[in-house]
Amino acid sequence: MGETIIAKPADVRAHSNMPDYAAARAGFDWAAERALLSPLGEGRISIAHETVDRHVAEGNGGRTAIRWLGRDGERREYTYAELQRETARFAAMLGRLGLKRGDAVYGLLGRKPELYIAALGTLRAGCVFCPLFSAFGPEPIQSRLEIGAGKALVTSAALYRRKVAGLRDRLPALDHVLLVDGGEDAGPGCRDLAGAMAAEDGTGAPVPMQPEDPGLLHFTSGTTGKPKGVVHVHEAILAHRATGRMVLDLRPGDVFWCTADPGWVTGTSYGILAPLANGATLVIDEAEFDPSRWYAILENERVNVWYTAPTAIRMLMKAGKDMAAGHDFPALRFMASVGEPLNPEAVIWGNEVFGMPFHDNWWQTETGGIMIANYRSMDVKPGSMGRPLPGIEAGIVEVTEEGATEVTQPGVIGELALKPGWPSMMRAYLNNRARYEKAFRSGWYLSGDLAMRDADGYFWFVGRADDMIKSSGHLIGPFEVESALIEHPAVAEAGVIGLPDPTAGEIVKAFVALKPGFEASEELRLDLLGHARKRLGPAVAPKEIEIHDSLPRTRSGKIMRRLLKARELGLPEGDTSTLETGA
Ligand code: ATP
Ligand code: MG
């Protein structure tokens, strides 16, 4: 690890929002960041004000806030002024329906403009917004609505009929269902969203909030178990704004594309809030992943900053370099990735195809915003998550019965931990106080991920604590093994688990999916075993490799290793509410 470095040219560094990481880190202070907010008097703030009204007040109401690309070629744009009016209408409508400050409003909708208006309108009204994946089935919808006591739901008539109507008598708190495509007759309490909003004039101001008032409820991806409901407050916008500027290098007027669905935290924190707080234009694509469509969007919409995920990058790699060759991306300035470890192979591929590396960064639903990152001005070590955000103290800790102790010498694997106190830190796991308290030890927040820090202060992801493999005295992280497998020309994706073994404790087993043009065969399997042995050595290389058509993934694109393991061992699959169908 660490032998390759992608160095940043001096002019790229000089033209970054944060030209010098060390200086920015030394000079950073959240209080100064807080002073950049536009206060609403008496210490009140609002995410809605910071993302929308503030730009209108500063004379930029005519700038495009949302550029929506419909699945079938339709386009819709909203300026900041239009977004202000629409979200004010939505907020006033919630008030007319009797919703109070702190009440929960849920969104269950594909990537439609109405979803974005509902999210921002909810925050504007002082209510709490909770996004759901539109592909969720009835059970996950019900349990999430129950945990957050959802009072209103914004959805479509079809989604409502298929997934929610049958649950209504089990959801006593759900008073209102707002349908984006009409359908008053869909059921009790259902109304047409546009009709309900038309009664409002759209002039109301955002409700001034205390910085500690809750604004967002996000459920974790469910990669390691039952999803947890994470509460974030209005002050979180400080972190969104700061990370948008320092990590994503966002500037007013930038065209920004975050490919994550708002059904999970990246699609909200960075698909809506951070870019709007920085005055950018959001590109929203309603359609599902499609390599040629994605290249066309990057080119034709003149995307300046692109934020995506390892799964999507691996799928673009799978589609082949030729597909990118017919396109030009002169506007593209920065590309970043989050959600899963980004294999070094993918970082280097990005550099070859786009002339710049993908910048990996790390964070969680719990942290609310980016915590560790590769910055535009900083040299990239492919395979590393980068260095902690200015204002964030990250450490590698050893956790024992007595507590958590920081390990300061480089190269040691331990739990990745953060010193609490940044604005977008979770304030609670809803209805699960014990689990929340367990996350804090000796003044550290414990992430549940294992990592190591090198001598230059770069952090390297090793694996989730639950996924680590102990084999003949070696501690093996699945990521290292998966990355080595992906370097093989036939492999598109890999998932690695430990299986109980009487002599070794555990043995390493790998599951791989192939790139187009490769067929599963005994010969290929042996070749893969040999390749892994050569790359990793016999102690770490998988003893078994199985070739599958695809690997089980969460809807946010994460390989579900616990499911590979449960299936392999014939154990119960546990909570599969976030499993992508067909996986
Ligand atoms: P659950 O907590 O329900 O099991 P989850 O942890 O996948 O689900 P998220 O909060 O969406 O839910 O994901 C955060 C996790 O994703 C991190 O803890 C880490 O394991 C992984 N992750 C995110 N970004 C990166 C990255 N850049 N490199 C490696 N892992 C990452
Ligand atoms: Mg987690």
Side-chain angles (χ1 to χ4, degrees):
M1 279 199 284
E3 62 276 17
T4 327
I5 290 187
I6 300 177
K8 296 297 178 60
D11 67 315
V12 167
R13 281 208 298 278
H15 293 101
S16 299
N17 283 350
M18 183 174 69
D20 182 342
Y21 169 75
R25 198 168 162 77
F28 190 87
D29 146 33
W30 284 111
E33 202 62 36
R34 195 168 285 118
L36 298 175
L37 290 188
S38 144
L40 301 177
E42 297 172 358
R44 309 293 173 90
I45 59 166
S46 165
I47 295 181
H49 178 78
E50 285 303 319
T51 48
V52 183
D53 290 54
R54 160 174 202 160
H55 302 297
V56 181
E58 289 173 357
N60 295 311
R63 185 186 293 153
T64 305
I66 290 180
R67 185 188 296 166
W68 177 76
L69 312 176
R71 188 174 281 124
D72 304 316
E74 190 194 342
R75 293 170 73 92
R76 261 199 267 167
E77 295 209 346
Y78 294 81
T79 63
Y80 275 92
E82 285 164 342
L83 193 57
Q84 181 182 43
R85 199 172 56 236
E86 291 305 307
T87 55
R89 284 206 169 109
F90 187 91
M93 174 207 68
L94 289 181
R96 196 181 292 261
L97 293 177
L99 270 86
K100 302 271 180 308
R101 229 178 137 107
D103 284 346
V105 177
Y106 280 61
L108 174 73
L109 202 57
R111 290 180 293 277
K112 301 239 180 242
E114 290 83 354
L115 182 66
Y116 295 77
I117 290 164
L120 293 164
T122 298
L123 289 159
R124 190 177 187 93
C127 296
V128 175
F129 186 70
C130 178
L132 300 172
F133 268 110
S134 59
F136 276 160
E139 197 288 325
I141 293 171
Q142 182 193 340
S143 67
R144 284 163 180 74
L145 276 163
E146 261 169 17
I147 292 175
K151 270 226 143 145
L153 174 70
V154 178
T155 185
S156 71
L159 287 171
Y160 179 75
R161 285 204 188 88
R162 252 191 302 140
K163 304 182 176 195
V164 189
L167 307 168
R168 272 313 277 284
D169 49 345
R170 274 169 282 163
L171 296 168
L174 184 61
D175 292 335
H176 305 284
V177 176
L178 299 150
L179 302 169
V180 296
D181 45 2
E184 299 275 337
D185 55 349
C190 289
R191 60 191 87 223
D192 166 35
L193 176 66
M197 280 171 62
E200 313 296 342
D201 65 6
T203 56
V207 174
M209 305 299 284
Q210 299 287 356
E212 285 300 309
D213 282 335
L216 296 156
L217 170 61
H218 281 297
F219 285 85
T220 60
S221 292
T223 315
T224 56
K226 197 172 166 52
K228 303 164 282 268
V230 172
V231 178
H232 288 292
V233 298
H234 274 259
E235 202 188 49
I237 194 67
L238 271 173
H240 299 138
R241 190 182 149 104
T243 49
R245 184 183 74 241
M246 294 190 289
V247 183
L248 299 175
D249 202 52
L250 284 171
R251 297 162 198 180
D254 267 351
V255 177
F256 173 70
W257 187 25
C258 170
T259 61
D261 188 275
W264 77 297
V265 72
T266 300
T268 308
S269 291
Y270 294 96
I272 311 179
L273 305 180
L276 292 181
N278 282 284
T281 297
L282 307 182
V283 169
I284 300 166
D285 183 24
E286 187 192 24
E288 295 312 316
F289 175 82
D290 170 53
S292 63
R293 182 177 171 105
W294 277 33
Y295 286 123
I297 290 176
L298 287 168
E299 180 173 24
N300 300 340
E301 306 305 327
R302 303 188 55 79
V303 172
N304 301 118
V305 179
W306 180 32
Y307 197 18
T308 189
T311 317
I313 297 169
R314 287 195 295 262
M315 289 201 278
L316 289 176
M317 291 167 71
K318 190 171 167 180
K321 271 189 194 151
D322 290 355
M323 192 175 269
H327 296 275
D328 240 343
F329 313 101
L332 198 58
R333 188 171 81 237
F334 189 74
M335 320 194 293
S337 162
V338 73
E340 273 207 306
L342 184 64
N343 318 90
E345 187 80 357
V347 177
I348 293 161
W349 181 87
N351 206 30
E352 285 165 11
V353 170
F354 297 98
M356 71 193 89
F358 284 104
H359 294 77
D360 186 21
N361 55 64
W362 176 94
W363 59 290
Q364 311 178 299
T365 310
E366 289 86 342
T367 70
I370 299 168
M371 296 283 113
I372 296 181
N374 286 286
Y375 308 92
R376 184 157 179 255
S377 59
M378 199 173 83
D379 294 348
V380 169
K381 301 189 188 188
S384 163
M385 313 188 280
R387 294 158 87 186
L389 185 80
I392 295 297
E393 200 185 322
I396 300 295
V397 304
E398 190 193 348
V399 185
T400 62
E401 295 278 292
E402 281 80 63
T405 341
E406 187 172 11
V407 185
T408 47
Q409 63 269 43
V412 179
I413 294 173
E415 185 156 354
L416 176 56
L418 304 161
K419 279 271 159 74
W422 67 94
S424 65
M425 179 58 187
M426 71 163 160
R427 298 302 196 267
Y429 281 133
L430 212 54
N431 299 348
N432 198 345
R433 180 138 196 176
R435 179 69 187 78
Y436 176 77
E437 282 167 2
K438 233 181 86 187
F440 299 90
R441 291 290 291 281
S442 319
W444 289 99
Y445 162 70
L446 304 177
S447 70
D449 288 340
L450 297 193
M452 73 91 171
R453 177 170 43 194
D454 71 15
D456 300 323
Y458 283 67
F459 283 72
W460 299 78
F461 184 81
V462 175
R464 291 167 184 265
D466 294 358
D467 292 337
M468 293 302 292
I469 303 161
K470 268 210 179 106
S471 186
S472 306
H474 295 276
L475 191 63
I476 301 169
F479 174 47
E480 187 186 4
V481 182
E482 290 162 8
S483 286
L485 285 166
I486 282 184
E487 284 172 20
H488 189 284
V491 176
E493 278 202 295
V496 165
I497 60 168
L499 292 180
D501 180 80
T503 40
E506 280 186 304
I507 57 154
V508 178
K509 171 151 191 180
F511 298 82
V512 301
L514 302 180
K515 285 192 181 145
F518 291 91
E519 291 274 330
S521 69
E522 184 55 15
E523 197 188 341
L524 177 59
R525 210 181 59 82
L526 293 175
D527 191 49
L528 289 173
L529 282 167
H531 162 85
R533 241 177 124 82
K534 207 160 91 213
R535 275 288 283 104
L536 298 163
V540 177
K543 299 275 178 295
E544 294 178 24
I545 295 184
E546 237 174 75
I547 301 173
H548 286 205
D549 290 341
S550 67
L551 302 180
R553 254 189 264 135
T554 66
R555 295 201 179 282
S556 50
K558 298 165 198 265
I559 295 171
M560 281 170 111
R561 296 178 190 81
R562 71 174 160 98
L563 217 61
L564 287 170
K565 192 159 174 168
R567 288 174 180 174
E568 181 71 22
L569 300 175
L571 297 170
E573 294 197 346
D575 186 293
T576 51
S577 61
T578 60
L579 179 67
E580 204 176 57
T581 37

